[in-house]
Amino acid sequence: MKIKSNYKLRTIAGETIIVKQGSRDLDLTHIIYLNSSAKFLYESFIGKDFNEEEVAKLLATTFHISKERAENDAKIWVESMKECQVIEWKW
C-alpha cells in the first residue's frame, strides 16, 4: 500500500491535518486530524510502499511497546487511512 501523493500534511491552529491537494471544492466535513503518532507514521511512510507489518515494527521499535499492541495500533492506523481514502492498496 502507499499514501496517495495528492494528500499533504498541514498544521492549522496547532492541529495537524491531512488536506487533499488539487481539489476545487474543499469539503470541511472530511478533515483528517492526526495525533503525534499518526503524524509520525504518515511522515515515515509518505512516498514509500509499505504493509501493516512494517507499520507495526516501526511502532514497536520507536515507542517501545509490545508486538501485540503495535500490531493492533498498526491495524487501526491502516484501516483509518483506508477509510479516509488516504492510502491506496491492492486487494
Side-chain angles (χ1 to χ4, degrees), residues 8-70:
K8 304 295 179 202
L9 280 181
R10 298 289 183 249
T11 302
I12 298 176
E15 296 288 335
T16 302
I17 62 171
I18 300 174
V19 178
K20 185 176 183 181
Q21 300 290 304
S23 177
R24 291 184 183 188
D25 302 319
L26 178 61
D27 185 355
L28 296 176
T29 63
H30 291 94
I31 292 177
I32 304 161
Y33 291 92
L34 300 179
N35 64 20
S36 60
S37 57
K39 178 184 175 190
F40 169 75
L41 291 173
Y42 184 94
E43 291 174 328
S44 297
F45 291 108
I46 189 79
K48 301 175 185 174
D49 285 318
F50 63 94
N51 59 41
E52 201 171 290
E53 293 80 24
E54 292 169 312
V55 175
K57 184 176 180 180
L58 182 60
L59 284 171
T61 58
T62 302
F63 297 104
H64 308 289
I65 58 177
S66 70
K67 180 183 176 186
E68 294 77 22
R69 178 167 178 195

